Amino acid sequence: MKVLAFAASNSRKSINKDLIRYACTRLTDSDVEIIDINDYEMPIYNSDLEEAHGIPEAASRFLDKISEADALLISYAEHNGSYTVAYKNLFDWASRKKLEVYQGKPIIMLSTSPGAGGAKSVLSAAVGSAHFFVGKVMASLSVPEFYKNFHRDKGVITNPDLAAQLDETLSALQQA
Ligand SMILES: Cc1cc2nc3c(=O)[nH]c(=O)nc-3n(C[C@H](O)[C@H](O)[C@H](O)COP(=O)(O)O)c2cc1C
């Protein structure tokens, strides 16, 4: 199974990127590609800009990546209870090209943050709206208190309960 994985964050030191890298090591029988949303940067969405210049090619490149994958693994960073501006912008431009951004793919959705909430709010928004964009959310997991539960140098979840929950969450892809 070809899995496209990314963190919905443009931070070079993204903790969601760390979580994605770890999760990818736990996927078996998969051909995984991790992309960086910084490679799909576009101006802030503006309908005037769209009318004048059309949709930037980065939106099509992002949609093509999704199209080529059998499944998606996404980890959402939370800013003020919602998506990071960087991801929302990419998603908005992509949706102008194709409203079915997720293109019917099975998706595992994750999130993490340093706080006890574990970016649950953005995760809930992403899970709840996926069907509008023709995404099939197979399972989701919020990882709270990232710095307590993850060893950054080793790149692993240190909390055994959370590690087991993540494996269980990822196993939902097998049903896809
Ligand atoms: C503008 C801003 C708003 C934030 N709002 C939240 C929030 O609502 N909930 C939360 O759990 N963390 C919040 N944080 C902390 C982020 O979870 C933290 O920066 C985390 O590292 C972001 O994930 P990333 O490293 O993958 O980008 C916020 C951070 C910033 C800069």
Side-chain angles (χ1 to χ4, degrees), residues 9 11 13-17 77-81 112-115 118-119 147:
S9 163
S11 165
K13 294 176 185 165
S14 166
I15 58 178
N16 284 277
K17 227 177 261 174
E78 181 170 287
H79 280 179
N80 295 318
T112 191
S113 78
Y147 293 101

Side-chain angles (χ1 to χ4, degrees), residues 3-9 16-17 20-21 24 32-40 58 61-66 68 72-74 87 90:
V3 179
L4 180 72
F6 60 88
S9 163
N16 284 277
K17 227 177 261 174
I20 279 289
R21 282 192 209 100
C24 287
V32 182
E33 182 183 7
I34 302 177
I35 59 169
D36 184 334
I37 67 165
N38 284 299
D39 294 333
Y40 303 86
R61 278 196 289 116
F62 180 64
L63 289 164
D64 288 348
K65 280 283 173 201
I66 294 175
E68 290 159 12
L72 308 176
L73 174 62
I74 308 172
Y87 184 67
L90 170 56

Side-chain angles (χ1 to χ4, degrees), residues 36-54:
D36 184 334
I37 67 165
N38 284 299
D39 294 333
Y40 303 86
E41 197 173 297
M42 288 172 270
I44 292 175
Y45 179 79
N46 176 331
S47 55
D48 301 332
L49 210 55
E50 182 184 350
E51 266 173 42
H53 303 291

Side-chain angles (χ1 to χ4, degrees), residues 35-174:
I35 59 169
D36 184 334
I37 67 165
N38 284 299
D39 294 333
Y40 303 86
E41 197 173 297
M42 288 172 270
I44 292 175
Y45 179 79
N46 176 331
S47 55
D48 301 332
L49 210 55
E50 182 184 350
E51 266 173 42
H53 303 291
I55 300 167
E57 60 84 33
S60 301
R61 278 196 289 116
F62 180 64
L63 289 164
D64 288 348
K65 280 283 173 201
I66 294 175
S67 159
E68 290 159 12
D70 299 313
L72 308 176
L73 174 62
I74 308 172
S75 190
Y76 293 88
E78 181 170 287
H79 280 179
N80 295 318
S82 192
Y83 300 97
T84 61
V85 166
Y87 184 67
K88 186 64 166 52
N89 193 49
L90 170 56
F91 198 90
D92 286 352
W93 274 116
S95 74
R96 295 299 296 152
K97 178 90 188 173
K98 190 192 281 271
L99 187 59
E100 306 86 356
V101 174
Y102 295 129
Q103 302 172 59
K105 308 293 173 174
I107 315 173
I108 300 288
M109 292 187 169
L110 308 175
S111 70
T112 191
S113 78
K120 259 194 190 125
S121 174
V122 68
L123 183 62
S124 160
V127 169
S129 63
H131 66 282
F132 293 121
F133 310 104
V134 196
K136 284 192 271 177
V137 182
M138 307 301 289
S140 66
L141 179 71
S142 151
V143 173
E145 300 180 300
F146 176 83
Y147 293 101
K148 231 188 200 178
N149 291 315
F150 196 96
H151 194 298
R152 281 202 108 172
D153 292 339
K154 292 185 183 156
V156 295
I157 289 185
T158 48
N159 177 324
D161 288 345
L162 274 174
Q165 283 178 52
L166 181 61
D167 283 348
E168 175 72 24
T169 304
L170 295 172
S171 74
L173 266 195
Q174 257 98 61

